[in-house]
Amino acid sequence: MLFLLSALVAAQTPLALDVWHQIGPNPRQYEPSPLPIPRRKRVTEVPPPKPGETPQATQTGIPAAPVETAPRPTRYTLCLKVGEKDLAAGVAAARAWLAEAAKAATPDTAHGAAAQCLGQLLLQQGDSAGAEAAFVESAGQVPADKQAAAAALQTMAGNAALAGGRAETALGWFDKALAPLPSSASSADDNAVRGAAQIGRARALVALGRLPEASGALQDAHRLAPNDPEGWLLSATLARRGKDLERAQRDIEVAASLAARGDPLGPPIGLEAGVIAMLSGREDAARKSWESVLALAPDSAEAATAKGYLDQIGPAPTSSAPAAAAAAPPEPPR
């Protein structure tokens, strides 16, 4: 599966499993390389040596190792690619594809893929309500025996609703995604999908001020998807807001270790790590965390916030001048 979680966000063949297993608030797009990979010649394809030449090493009678070729782009990935170049054109193309695919009388893979592409592009365009409706339509095309795929799309609908400030609606979608239990022993994919739904549920509960329930949802998320850095970032933030700085530090360290390989959550994790360090009286550690955000994503919103914090505490003190007491940074937006 192209999109299945290791994330998550946030999935496509006859339920082209690379279409319907992508979850999370910011679905990550993946497009196979459009360039063909040259296929290495096998023994029978190597021309015989000319008189006097040394036979080529591949003519030893040992078959050459099989070479993987790049998968052909699907219409879904091409749909997203159009949106990458021109968002408005991508939305128009997705709508045209959806209208074409919707003519099928029964649940259909193309219909579901078209609706998911439209939802992802509408979310990028800022139309959270339209994106929510598109993800719900996509979920409606998933066969009854593909519960994880349907739950993933319902989670995407919940994230779209949450992006639009509709926390109650979002909570309903997350609860719906979690309602059906796997018909057999849970697979890693089932757990990843359910873990992402619990993370979304926690975010909605925080927005509704139901913090104890949010904490419980995050505990479930850690159990189901222990390698998802977003869950640990959220639990660190929640602990910091509850003034449990020891727990916050422990959880942000887990988040940072999971996002160490270039995860897009790196800047938010670095920003939160600096806030936790500052509130714990470790100004130097806070400065380093915020400086890492500037280095990692200098044009991001997190970098702008980090720069503001760094301006407040000033440069690191020199050995000849004692450090002045620094005020804690303002509470990040809740």
Side-chain angles (χ1 to χ4, degrees), residues 244-298:
D244 185 352
L245 297 180
E246 182 179 346
R247 168 67 185 273
Q249 181 63 33
R250 183 169 68 248
D251 287 357
I252 202 65
E253 287 177 2
V254 175
S257 67
L258 291 172
R261 293 183 175 87
D263 191 283
L265 282 175
I269 289 171
L271 187 64
E272 180 64 32
V275 173
I276 293 168
M278 194 69 191
L279 293 176
S280 301
R282 296 178 290 113
E283 180 181 317
D284 189 52
R287 182 180 286 103
K288 289 178 179 178
S289 289
W290 293 331
E291 288 174 346
S292 74
V293 174
L294 293 175
L296 185 63

Side-chain angles (χ1 to χ4, degrees), residues 190-226:
D190 291 326
N191 287 340
V193 169
R194 295 177 70 80
Q198 287 287 12
I199 289 172
R201 186 168 174 269
R203 292 165 59 228
L205 289 166
V206 168
L208 293 169
R210 295 159 59 178
L211 302 187
E213 292 175 79
S215 180
L218 288 172
Q219 290 299 319
D220 287 338
H222 297 333
R223 175 177 55 81
L224 292 162

